[in-house]
Amino acid sequence: INYKNSNSTIKWYKSWKMWLKIFILLCVIIFLVLAIVYSKTTARIFSDFLDWMKNNAALGSFAFIGLYWICTVLMIPGSLLTLGAGFVFREVFHNEWLGILFAALIVFIGATLGAINAFILGRFVLR
């Protein structure tokens, strides 16, 4: 199998882009396998993170945006994160609607940044 470069045709195993794709795919597979194997630990870490977010609302918002960004790029479903943010920020603000509105804003920002990053990776790096 040959890999077309702009200048010439080279073997696939000599292309750094192909090795980058393989590396990213292996990292995602290893991450998912470890998350499944250690599901109790993963659930505990997720719960601890949400508790930390409740105690540190400002810094927790930025950490949540970063986590949602990474999950979007790695195609990890964010439904549990979205629900967790709604519950946590509802308790932080002691107001149901204000907490849900703030959580929706945080989730929107994280998902948008992740989608932009995934597009750029797919368009230029992982092509």
Side-chain angles (χ1 to χ4, degrees):
I1 298 174
N2 293 331
Y3 183 76
K4 286 196 172 194
N5 194 356
S6 60
N7 298 333
S8 64
T9 303
I10 58 175
K11 298 287 185 186
W12 69 271
Y13 53 85
K14 291 184 179 180
S15 171
W16 68 271
K17 287 185 179 182
M18 186 61 72
W19 284 108
L20 180 64
K21 291 177 192 178
I22 292 170
F23 176 74
I24 291 173
L25 181 65
L26 285 175
C27 286
V28 169
I29 290 171
I30 289 170
F31 175 76
L32 291 176
V33 167
L34 289 176
I36 291 169
V37 169
Y38 297 106
S39 62
K40 289 182 182 179
T41 306
T42 305
R44 183 183 51 80
I45 291 171
F46 179 67
S47 176
D48 290 345
F49 175 71
L50 291 178
D51 288 338
W52 176 81
M53 247 177 58
K54 188 178 2 175
N55 296 330
N56 304 304
L59 189 59
S61 299
F62 291 109
F64 187 82
I65 289 172
L67 178 66
Y68 210 93
W69 182 345
I70 292 169
C71 288
T72 302
V73 170
L74 296 178
M75 295 182 292
I76 298 172
S79 56
L80 287 177
L81 285 173
T82 304
L83 291 172
F87 285 119
V88 166
F89 286 116
R90 186 187 67 183
E91 289 187 24
V92 166
F93 288 107
H94 302 293
N95 183 339
E96 186 172 315
W97 294 108
L98 183 62
I100 291 173
L101 180 67
F102 187 75
L105 178 68
I106 295 296
V107 166
F108 177 75
I109 292 170
T112 302
L113 289 174
I116 291 169
N117 197 5
F119 172 76
I120 291 172
L121 284 173
R123 177 72 175 108
F124 297 110
V125 178
L126 303 174
R127 191 170 176 177

